[in-house]
Amino acid sequence: MKPFLVMALVFTIHNAWADISVQVIDENHQPVPNAVITLPNHEQKTPDSIAVMDQVNVQFSPRVLVIQKGQSVSFPNSDDIRHNVYSFSAPKAFQIKLYKGNSTAPILFDKPGLVVLGCNIHDDMIGYIYVVNHEFVIKTDKNGKATLPANAGDRINIWDENLSSTINSTKTLVLGEEASQTIMLDLLPSAKQAEHKHATSFGKKF
């Protein structure tokens, strides 16, 4: 093989998408589940499927739901008690009045951003819908791990509910050369962050 062909082959391989595994941990080296990682330069289409944000055991399930802009979300209530779901967040302010079961119509989320959910009856119910603008997005699993279709040098954005006193803040990082990488986040104590959320997002009622 001629030298210039070898160089072209190496260049092509280096710039092809390759999986990079990351683990997100906190300052105590504990895994961070439900951290949202977006890869801005990897375009995604809005899926045809309707996403689901359930209510189970007086909690939103999942606690963090990631969707694409233009996707709809269903809000079934699997509890035996009624809930009143609402959000004051700018990307999608809405209210679903007291209900049980699957009687509500899906809601369209047509703007990107973080939507913080609450229940007007149960103050401890907090959930999040993270809407991205046609970008690759993934949540870390219970071990804080996720796999990205990325290259070394790509920028990623990370969000976690305890990342900052400003709930919608993200952290931007550049991926290194390693196939497996560890990312440490300096997180707020959960109790302090919970107080902040109630003070800023759920301080008024419909």
CSV table of all heavy atoms in Angstrom, one decimal, residues 19 27 73 80 119 121 164:
chain,number,residue,atom,x,y,z
A,19,ASP,N,-17.3,4.2,20.0
A,19,ASP,CA,-17.9,4.3,21.3
A,19,ASP,C,-16.9,4.7,22.4
A,19,ASP,O,-15.8,4.1,22.4
A,19,ASP,CB,-18.5,2.9,21.7
A,19,ASP,CG,-19.8,2.7,20.9
A,19,ASP,OD1,-20.3,3.6,20.4
A,19,ASP,OD2,-20.2,1.5,20.9
A,27,GLU,N,-17.7,13.8,44.2
A,27,GLU,CA,-16.4,14.0,44.8
A,27,GLU,C,-16.0,13.0,45.8
A,27,GLU,O,-14.8,12.9,46.2
A,27,GLU,CB,-16.4,15.4,45.5
A,27,GLU,CG,-17.5,15.6,46.6
A,27,GLU,CD,-18.8,16.0,46.1
A,27,GLU,OE1,-19.1,15.8,44.8
A,27,GLU,OE2,-19.6,16.6,46.8
A,73,VAL,N,-45.2,13.4,25.6
A,73,VAL,CA,-45.1,12.6,26.9
A,73,VAL,C,-46.4,12.3,27.4
A,73,VAL,O,-47.3,13.2,27.6
A,73,VAL,CB,-44.2,13.4,27.9
A,73,VAL,CG1,-44.1,12.6,29.2
A,73,VAL,CG2,-42.8,13.7,27.4
A,80,ASP,N,-52.8,4.4,43.5
A,80,ASP,CA,-54.2,4.3,43.8
A,80,ASP,C,-54.8,5.6,44.4
A,80,ASP,O,-55.9,5.7,44.8
A,80,ASP,CB,-54.4,3.2,44.9
A,80,ASP,CG,-54.1,1.8,44.3
A,80,ASP,OD1,-54.4,1.6,43.1
A,80,ASP,OD2,-53.7,1.0,45.1
A,119,CYS,N,-46.1,18.0,42.1
A,119,CYS,CA,-47.5,17.6,42.3
A,119,CYS,C,-48.1,18.6,43.3
A,119,CYS,O,-47.5,18.8,44.4
A,119,CYS,CB,-47.6,16.1,42.8
A,119,CYS,SG,-49.3,15.6,43.3
A,121,ILE,N,-50.4,18.2,45.2
A,121,ILE,CA,-50.9,17.5,46.4
A,121,ILE,C,-49.8,16.9,47.3
A,121,ILE,O,-49.8,16.9,48.5
A,121,ILE,CB,-51.9,16.3,46.0
A,121,ILE,CG1,-53.0,16.9,45.1
A,121,ILE,CG2,-52.5,15.7,47.3
A,121,ILE,CD1,-53.8,18.0,45.7
A,164,SER,N,-25.6,22.3,40.6
A,164,SER,CA,-25.4,23.7,40.9
A,164,SER,C,-26.7,24.2,41.6
A,164,SER,O,-27.7,23.6,41.5
A,164,SER,CB,-25.2,24.5,39.6
A,164,SER,OG,-25.3,25.9,39.8
